[in-house]
Amino acid sequence: MQEPVSISVVGHGGLRLNVWDYGGEGPTLLFCHCTGGVARLWDAVLTHMRMQCRILALDMRGHGDSDNPATREDCAWEHAGKDVLAVLDALSPREPIYAVGHSAGGAQLAYAALYAPGTFHGMALLDPIIAPKQELIHGKRLAAGARRRKTHFADRPTAKVRFLHREPMSTWCEEALDAYVQYGLCESSEGDVTLSCPSPVEAWNYEIGGGCDAFRQLHTITCPVLLVTGRDSGFASLASMQVTQLPQARLEIMEGVGHFIPQERPVETAVLLDAWLSCPGFTE
């Protein structure tokens, strides 16, 4: 895997977005991360992938090196879906276009597919948070936790020690944790490091993300979809509902893993994605 290049793109509403371009030949493969994460978390997976693709990974608005939304309403995931379309339009990626999204990143891709049918030739959605509105019961609890989160650390080694003993990062593989410590923290004016996703932005994402009920429209997404959930994920029941709504979907359940599939099992995730991409017709 070659070292990616950072590219600045104007997203929905004029917000500046950061995209990591890994280069490569073949079809375009866009990666979208979870709430509170960063695009470079996918490095742990990409290192082990074998398929030849042109790889792009997007820092969601308010995350990584992308700009922060000014208001709670700006964090709605439908705006993030429009960001995806802005990125694809700006970078003029080679067709066909495929996409992989984890958690909120999966919902982000679903919104993009709903707004611009036919954009994707296939999507792999890893435990995507797409549910009937009455099922989205975790938002307030997760938002409260985000607001209590420690955001400043003396340095990166100090932050890593703390993360090692705190869920969910205590379950992550070292590759993913190291990527988060490197790219999920930024130097502050005081000389210490701080989370690149501010606590209010993370909380807003939990509170308002998914407020536009894409679940009712999943039946209009006609491209092939690989749904993946973990046997131990608290969101596994959503995947069972999603697969019944998507016309061309199949469900994979990974044993012994929770919600953070690509961070806990990057090698297995890479193998699964390689097999998915190598299916007949996917690279034509």
Side-chain angles (χ1 to χ4, degrees):
M1 180 184 72
Q2 68 185 60
E3 187 65 22
V5 175
S6 175
I7 300 176
S8 182
V9 172
V10 177
H12 175 66
L15 200 73
R16 188 195 65 83
L17 303 171
N18 180 66
V19 183
W20 292 98
D21 186 349
Y22 292 76
E25 301 295 329
T28 295
L29 184 57
L30 173 68
F31 285 82
C32 294
H33 63 80
C34 59
T35 298
V38 288
R40 296 297 296 268
L41 281 177
W42 291 107
D43 284 8
V45 174
L46 294 173
T47 298
H48 302 286
M49 289 189 66
R50 297 291 178 262
M51 282 295 295
Q52 296 299 309
C53 298
R54 190 265 179 106
I55 303 292
L56 301 172
L58 169 62
D59 278 327
M60 187 188 297
R61 52 175 51 209
H63 295 68
D65 291 336
S66 292
D67 284 349
N68 292 321
T71 69
R72 180 178 182 271
E73 287 67 30
D74 290 333
C75 289
W77 288 352
E78 56 262 40
H79 299 327
K82 293 175 183 177
D83 286 342
V84 166
L85 299 178
V87 166
L88 295 176
D89 183 62
L91 298 182
S92 300
R94 310 181 192 105
E95 292 189 349
I97 302 170
Y98 300 94
V100 180
H102 172 227
S103 193
Q108 181 178 6
L109 292 175
Y111 285 122
L114 291 170
Y115 289 134
T119 295
F120 301 112
H121 284 60
M123 297 189 297
L125 306 181
L126 314 182
D127 233 10
I129 308 302
I130 308 169
K133 286 185 178 180
Q134 64 271 21
E135 296 291 333
L136 295 174
I137 59 177
H138 301 290
K140 289 184 179 179
R141 176 178 58 81
L142 292 172
R147 289 192 169 94
R148 293 192 301 268
R149 199 178 313 286
K150 181 176 174 61
T151 59
H152 290 79
F153 307 90
D155 49 37
R156 283 184 166 82
T158 299
K160 181 176 179 179
V161 170
R162 182 178 176 86
F163 297 154
L164 279 168
H165 298 93
R166 299 273 176 161
E167 292 185 349
M169 284 175 271
S170 58
T171 67
W172 292 8
C173 72
E174 188 168 6
E175 290 172 286
L177 182 58
D178 285 344
Y180 183 78
V181 170
Q182 178 64 36
Y183 300 102
L185 298 168
C186 54
E187 286 76 20
S188 74
S189 57
E190 288 76 27
D192 56 5
V193 293
T194 185
L195 296 180
S196 62
C197 177
S199 291
V201 171
E202 184 181 0
W204 288 341
N205 269 273
Y206 292 133
E207 290 171 344
I208 200 169
C212 176
D213 191 359
F215 182 83
R216 293 180 300 171
Q217 303 176 62
L218 286 179
H219 67 279
T220 67
I221 297 177
T222 57
C223 69
V225 177
L226 172 65
L227 283 171
V228 184
T229 190
R231 180 73 69 184
D232 302 329
S233 171
F235 299 102
S237 61
L238 296 186
S240 298
M241 292 191 288
Q242 293 156 4
V243 75
T244 66
Q245 301 299 310
L246 290 158
Q248 292 196 71
R250 66 181 179 89
L251 176 61
E252 292 275 350
I253 301 175
M254 292 180 66
E255 300 293 337
V257 66
H259 176 62
F260 291 90
I261 297 165
Q263 288 83 47
E264 294 181 30
R265 299 285 184 81
V267 177
E268 290 180 39
T269 301
V271 170
L272 190 63
L273 293 177
D274 276 336
W276 167 66
L277 286 165
S278 63
C279 289
F282 267 49
T283 55
E284 293 178 358

